Amino acid sequence: MDWIVLLPPVLAIGLALWTRQVFLSLVVGLWIGTTILGGGNPLSGLRALADVLVAVFASASNTRIVLFSLLVGGLIALVQVSGGVAAFTEWVQRRGWGTTRRSAEILAFAVGMLIFVESSITSLTVGTLSRPFFDKLKLPREKLAYYCDATSAPVCMLIPLNGWGAFVLGLLMTQGLADEAVPLLAQSLLFNFYSVFTVIFTLVLALTGWSFGAMRRAERRAAESGQVVRPGSQPMVSEEIVGIEPVRPGAGHMGDLMLPIGVMIGMIFVSLYVTGDGSIMAGSGSTAVLWAVGSAIGVAMILYAVPRRGKPLLNPLAATDWVVKGASGLVGVVALLVLAFALGDVSNELKMGEYVVGLLGDGVATWWLPALVFLVGCAVAFTLGSSWTAYAILIPLAVPLAQGLYISLPLMLGAVLAGGVYGDHASPLSDTSIISSMSAACDHVDHINTQLPYTLLLGGLSIVAFLLAGLLT
């Protein structure tokens, strides 16, 4: 009955995709998990469920992500009510950008590629800057959510000058590879097939407008009816926040959007440097995003308080009210994050990751191992909703395995990294996927369903690539 440890996350994900009721599905999965931990007593599991939810906030990192998500709502409201978003949209369109489907999608892709310091900031920036263009051109928000997601974790792991790279380097150093960690990570990027394929595939989508599966149906709906979200869906941001109009039409400038966004991105580097004691690669990602969005809100409030035409755009009291209103529009996101974090904690207590890794068994032909490691990484990261957890579990196993069986170490590390990125990208439990749905203001299950055919295709191509690489190296 060891397989029962897989039940909580698998049931939660399956129910969410089937019923589209993501909150209820996560609660059910969480209850199953706490019941298993409680020896099979559902009443004990129900009592433990509340304790597990409260325990989420015992983690400083989790709490920072929750606060970051709330403050993001405040920042979105501020830059919209200032007129900064409207001014930026007009400025871009005057230059012929974002006026066609192709240019809007290329803009979303390019922004995602340029901002690689933190996956959540990438998703937020892509969605904030691109949503007005997608809505005006009747492009479905599910497609925008895909761009937010596809250019976050895959790009952050391909350009690891961030917390992702620091985390992997730390794990490699614990394996006695202190002197080889940096060149090994650099060499492994060539074998991070899923990330490479995702970036190439996403660029092709932007250039050609090609789509298939559920995404094509979403595009047809938006083009024919003008409905950028599915009727009856539950967008992760309330329409009251998405549809905020400038408080003084015509008074806003493009800088009212770009300066706060620029401060937010710049503060990521500053925060990583400070929290890493002088090393950007050693900084705290969760602290950095919280400081960054807080700084952006502070700068925005000061900027909008400067008199324009005799009076401020927004006085501090009015700006504070908008921050609170914006944060209230993201309560659903926070609830979803707390449930996802709790389910991940329960899955860890059930030692689900170790069980999945144990399925590898003995006596496997070595040329298959990179593909198998990739698949196990996918399974662990997808069900736990965390690529970093998959890295922490698999790197200590993959490194000695590669060394003992004389398998290419960069190839094995690339397989681990690719599997973790797949889970972070595809899983409905991933905080990056949740924030992508929030940033695009679309239904979370719709986002997962429409991108699932894409992630499965790229995952399948990655398996083939790892099999070939295993034969040739």
Side-chain angles (χ1 to χ4, degrees), residues 157-160 184-193 196 414 417:
M157 201 64 261
L158 275 181
I159 311 175
L184 175 57
L185 175 59
Q187 294 171 43
S188 72
L189 300 181
L190 297 174
F191 296 105
N192 186 352
F193 294 126
V196 172
L417 301 183

Side-chain angles (χ1 to χ4, degrees), residues 235-253:
M236 294 299 293
V237 180
S238 66
E239 287 301 316
E240 290 82 2
I241 302 304
V242 174
I244 289 175
E245 296 293 335
V247 66
R248 287 171 58 189
H253 305 301

Side-chain angles (χ1 to χ4, degrees), residues 376-387 390 419-424 427 430:
V376 172
C378 290
V380 172
F382 185 87
T383 51
L384 293 180
S386 170
S387 54
V421 169
Y422 176 89
D424 197 284
S427 175
S430 161

Side-chain angles (χ1 to χ4, degrees), residues 362-389:
D362 300 319
V364 180
T366 57
W367 67 277
W368 280 83
L369 277 176
L372 284 174
V373 167
F374 169 71
L375 282 171
V376 172
C378 290
V380 172
F382 185 87
T383 51
L384 293 180
S386 170
S387 54
W388 289 23
T389 300

Side-chain angles (χ1 to χ4, degrees), residues 58-422:
S59 165
S61 177
N62 289 349
T63 304
R64 292 188 196 107
I65 294 297
V66 167
L67 291 174
F68 160 76
S69 299
L70 286 173
L71 290 178
V72 160
L75 180 61
I76 291 173
L78 275 182
V79 296
Q80 289 191 165
V81 77
S82 72
V85 173
F88 174 78
T89 302
E90 292 172 5
W91 182 85
V92 168
Q93 290 180 334
R94 283 199 302 270
R95 283 154 180 77
W97 306 338
T99 56
T100 65
R101 295 168 62 91
R102 175 183 292 182
S103 62
E105 293 184 42
I106 291 175
L107 177 65
F109 173 81
V111 171
M113 289 298 298
L114 289 172
I115 303 172
F116 54 82
V117 290
E118 211 289 321
S119 56
S120 298
I121 295 296
T122 301
S123 300
L124 171 63
T125 307
V126 171
T128 301
L129 296 182
S130 301
R131 191 171 60 240
F133 302 109
F134 274 62
D135 285 357
K136 186 172 183 178
L137 294 167
K138 298 181 181 179
L139 286 167
R141 289 186 186 161
E142 293 95 326
K143 192 162 194 180
L144 176 56
Y146 176 77
Y147 282 108
C148 293
D149 216 347
T151 58
S152 55
V155 173
C156 284
M157 201 64 261
L158 275 181
I159 311 175
L161 304 175
N162 47 45
W164 290 67
F167 183 71
V168 173
L169 288 175
L171 292 173
L172 291 174
M173 290 175 185
T174 63
Q175 300 302 305
L177 298 171
D179 296 333
E180 307 165 54
V182 173
L184 175 57
L185 175 59
Q187 294 171 43
S188 72
L189 300 181
L190 297 174
F191 296 105
N192 186 352
F193 294 126
Y194 183 78
S195 295
V196 172
F197 291 163
T198 297
V199 169
I200 295 172
F201 179 77
T202 305
L203 176 59
V204 169
L205 292 184
L207 291 173
T208 66
W210 179 58
S211 62
F212 59 89
M215 190 69 79
R216 174 177 288 181
R217 292 191 291 273
E219 289 201 51
R220 187 180 300 121
R221 178 205 70 220
E224 294 176 354
S225 67
Q227 296 171 325
V228 293
V229 294
R230 177 179 57 82
S233 64
Q234 298 178 332
M236 294 299 293
V237 180
S238 66
E239 287 301 316
E240 290 82 2
I241 302 304
V242 174
I244 289 175
E245 296 293 335
V247 66
R248 287 171 58 189
H253 305 301
M254 190 177 67
D256 294 327
L257 168 67
M258 299 308 294
L259 182 58
I261 293 294
V263 167
M264 180 176 66
I265 295 171
M267 275 300 296
I268 287 287
F269 290 102
V270 174
S271 304
L272 289 173
Y273 182 85
V274 172
T275 58
D277 294 326
S279 172
I280 290 177
M281 296 291 286
S284 167
S286 61
T287 300
V289 295
L290 181 59
W291 287 7
V293 74
S295 299
I297 288 175
V299 168
M301 292 178 70
I302 294 171
L303 177 64
Y304 305 156
V306 175
R308 301 182 190 181
R309 302 174 188 173
K311 65 177 182 178
L313 191 63
L314 282 175
N315 62 53
L317 292 178
T320 301
D321 288 341
W322 279 109
V323 170
V324 173
K325 183 176 180 179
S328 68
L330 267 69
V331 170
V333 173
V334 170
L336 189 56
L337 282 171
V338 171
L339 288 169
F341 286 147
L343 186 58
D345 290 341
V346 167
S347 297
N348 281 330
E349 285 191 52
L350 290 169
K351 300 188 183 301
M352 194 221 73
E354 287 86 342
Y355 171 73
V356 173
V357 171
L359 295 178
L360 275 173
D362 300 319
V364 180
T366 57
W367 67 277
W368 280 83
L369 277 176
L372 284 174
V373 167
F374 169 71
L375 282 171
V376 172
C378 290
V380 172
F382 185 87
T383 51
L384 293 180
S386 170
S387 54
W388 289 23
T389 300
Y391 295 160
I393 292 172
L394 286 175
I395 285 178
L397 295 171
V399 168
L401 191 63
Q403 292 171 329
L405 297 175
Y406 302 102
I407 303 172
S408 167
L409 196 50
L411 174 59
M412 285 290 273
L413 179 58
V416 174
L417 301 183
V421 169
Y422 176 89

